Amino acid sequence: MSLWSYANPRKFLDRVEPLSRWLFAAAGACLALGLGWGFFFTPDAVNFGSSVKIIYLHVPSALMAINAWLMMLVASLIWIVRRHHVSALAAKAAAPVGLVMTLIALATGAIWGQPMWGTWWAWDPRLTSFLILCLFYLGYIALWSAIPDAEAAADLTGVLCLVGSVFALLSRYAVNFWSQGLHQGASLSLDRQENVADVYWLPLVIAMLGFALLFAALVVLRTGTEIRLRRIAALRARAQRSEGAA
Amino acid sequence: MRAVLLRDLQLAVRAGGGFGLGLAFFAIVVILVPFGVGPEPEVLARIAPGILWVAALLAALLSLDRIFAQDAEDGALALIATAPVPLEGVVLAKALAHWLTTGLPLVLAAPVLGVLLHLPAGAMPWLLASLTLGTPALSLIGAFGAALTVGLRRGGLLLSLIVLPLYIPTLIFGAEAVARGAQGLDPLPGLLLLAGVTLGCIALLPFAAAAALRVTLR
């Protein structure tokens, strides 16, 4: 039994979709622990007061906003190469979740930026590339919903996802060329000595894990819904045909 | 390929082809800006590169759905697809036709409009260079977007939602090169990056657009 056997929609509904319950539970536990710990049991930062605590929402949602697009890219590639319908539907299911993550990251960033930078919005490279990412999500979702034929929609959005990824990456570096930044560098990294202070580190990682689990749970659930929708459409079409024959 | 190119050019130039509409739109957008921001020469000179580039972008967008939509409606696209020329070549020829009828007139008209916006004379060569290098990328990206949305009713609005984000790198490099030229800085990095974007588009996007067209023709 290889991993690919789960690309069978039936098997996906039987084995994988029930997992979403456990994923939701794990995500809830991680988020409660990470956010609760972060919000109530970490000290205020010296220069920022308690506003620093928005980091527990901002960083994980920004992380998942990018990872959701990467997941869509991988799923689109699998669809184009191996033509597993579950893969295409998973990409479709992930897009709105990724869009919401992008919006959460932008909104929490604005709420933090108002008292700290004195402005809701700055045309900073990081902020701008997130706004551009948001536009790419919108175009992708709009293309899915505009094409009536399911298979053509999966193909065309797959191609858009591949080309869009290249241009999103290009935009990410193009905005560096165009404007200087206000945003700080990465708060967490594996290869540098200086990270965010230790007291904030563990709750932040737990909150990131919680967001990742939440994303996985939502995508699995939504993929299951998409498979059922596809089945209903097929059953309807069959019923109409038999009515026409009778 | 030459036949496709000549056919598209003839269709565009003849009556009802909409040739010149994009150019008129470009001029009107640029002329409207001083009414919005006021006639001060310093302000206009400062924003002129960006305005000219954004207006060129919108003018190119205006005629995109003509690239494939009419051919798809009357069935010509299915016939062209059976021709011995690969579909990638057809896309390239059609994008070239779109550039010759939309992009090239924009490039030629831009200096006149630059004078209206008080763009410094030193920046004029850079404006011409950046538009010449950048507008082919606009046509190719647009041809890709048009191929994605060719089978759809009400594809026009969707087309702009898909294509405009893809235009962002071209816009940044193009406008930045002119702006640096206007300020007396070295505009060469922007121009080189712009040329890179265009060459990358020429090399890769015909394949993506042809893949999309094959899905629609299936």
Side-chain angles (χ1 to χ4, degrees):
Chain A
M1 280 259 288
S2 76
L3 185 67
W4 296 112
S5 69
Y6 290 99
N8 179 337
R10 178 81 182 271
K11 204 156 207 171
F12 183 88
L13 285 182
D14 286 349
R15 301 272 172 80
V16 184
E17 207 202 8
L19 284 181
S20 71
R21 214 172 304 158
W22 298 104
L23 286 170
F24 271 119
C30 280
L31 285 177
L33 179 65
L35 295 182
W37 184 358
F39 285 157
F40 301 113
F41 300 103
T42 54
D44 289 353
V46 181
N47 295 322
F48 301 105
S50 54
S51 73
V52 74
K53 291 179 177 176
I54 208 165
I55 192 179
Y56 301 112
L57 287 173
H58 181 67
V59 173
S61 61
L63 181 80
M64 290 320 296
I66 297 168
N67 284 352
W69 186 276
L70 286 181
M71 184 239 133
M72 282 159 52
L73 174 61
V74 173
S76 302
L77 266 177
I78 292 175
W79 159 251
I80 289 171
V81 176
R82 300 196 56 147
R83 322 247 357 134
H84 292 309
H85 282 271
V86 174
S87 180
L89 291 178
K92 181 185 185 185
V97 186
L99 176 64
V100 171
M101 293 285 180
T102 314
L103 292 177
I104 293 176
L106 284 171
T108 53
I111 292 166
W112 187 82
Q114 213 287 323
M116 287 304 132
W117 294 343
T119 173
W120 295 102
W121 179 259
W123 290 95
D124 160 278
R126 279 194 183 218
L127 276 65
T128 312
S129 28
F130 259 76
L131 196 61
I132 297 170
L133 186 64
C134 184
L135 295 177
F136 276 104
Y137 273 122
L138 283 178
Y140 181 84
I141 295 169
L143 189 61
W144 257 113
S145 59
I147 304 172
D149 177 56
E151 190 149 339
D155 277 328
L156 294 176
T157 51
V159 173
L160 176 64
C161 186
L162 297 191
V163 174
S165 303
V166 176
F167 277 89
L169 200 66
L170 195 59
S171 309
R172 166 80 185 77
Y173 290 100
V175 290
N176 280 337
F177 181 75
W178 156 83
S179 157
Q180 299 306 313
L182 201 60
H183 197 290
Q184 57 178 320
S187 305
L188 280 181
S189 65
L190 298 174
D191 58 340
R192 277 185 318 158
Q193 288 294 315
E194 212 167 298
N195 275 333
V196 70
D198 283 348
V199 274
Y200 302 121
W201 186 80
L202 198 56
L204 181 56
V205 170
I206 294 173
M208 279 154 80
L209 186 65
F211 265 79
L213 285 168
L214 180 66
F215 172 73
L218 284 170
V219 170
V220 168
L221 188 72
R222 290 178 55 89
T223 309
T225 313
E226 292 289 343
I227 294 173
R228 292 208 168 83
L229 277 174
R230 184 76 68 89
R231 272 192 186 171
I232 291 170
L235 288 175
R236 280 226 175 104
R238 191 177 296 177
Q240 258 176 5
R241 257 200 309 263
S242 60
E243 259 174 44
Chain B
M1 273 176 81
R2 192 189 293 163
V4 173
L5 177 65
L6 289 177
R7 173 177 170 280
D8 269 31
L9 286 179
Q10 279 178 353
L11 282 177
V13 175
R14 280 181 192 158
F19 176 73
L21 265 184
L23 191 58
F25 181 79
F26 179 59
I28 282 180
V29 170
V30 172
I31 291 168
L32 280 181
V33 169
F35 297 123
V37 302
E40 293 85 4
E42 313 83 65
V43 178
L44 288 178
R46 170 75 189 78
I47 61 172
I51 297 299
L52 287 166
W53 257 95
V54 171
L57 217 98
L58 295 176
L61 186 71
L62 201 63
S63 50
L64 283 183
D65 55 345
R66 289 175 183 281
I67 299 183
F68 296 117
Q70 284 172 347
D71 283 350
E73 264 168 33
D74 62 12
L77 195 62
L79 277 180
I80 293 173
T82 60
V85 188
L87 211 46
E88 286 82 359
V90 173
V91 171
L92 206 55
K94 277 180 163 293
L96 181 61
H98 178 261
W99 182 72
L100 287 175
T101 52
T102 311
L104 195 59
L106 293 190
V107 176
L108 298 178
V112 181
L113 295 167
V115 170
L116 286 184
L117 292 180
H118 298 284
L119 189 72
M124 284 299 176
W126 305 118
L127 178 69
L128 275 174
S130 81
L131 280 173
T132 315
L133 284 174
T135 42
L138 299 185
S139 290
L140 273 158
I141 295 169
F144 167 66
L148 276 183
T149 55
V150 67
L152 304 175
R153 280 171 291 126
R154 297 195 308 278
L157 273 176
L158 183 66
L159 180 64
S160 50
L161 185 59
I162 289 173
V163 164
L164 285 178
L166 298 176
Y167 277 170
I168 290 172
T170 320
L171 171 65
I172 290 177
F173 293 137
E176 189 69 17
V178 186
R180 288 191 183 189
Q183 289 160 15
L185 301 170
D186 182 16
L188 206 57
L191 286 181
L192 290 179
L193 285 165
L194 191 64
V197 171
T198 301
L199 290 175
C201 287
I202 293 175
L204 298 176
L205 280 181
F207 293 96
L213 282 179
R214 285 198 190 98
V215 171
T216 311
L217 289 169
R218 191 163 58 199

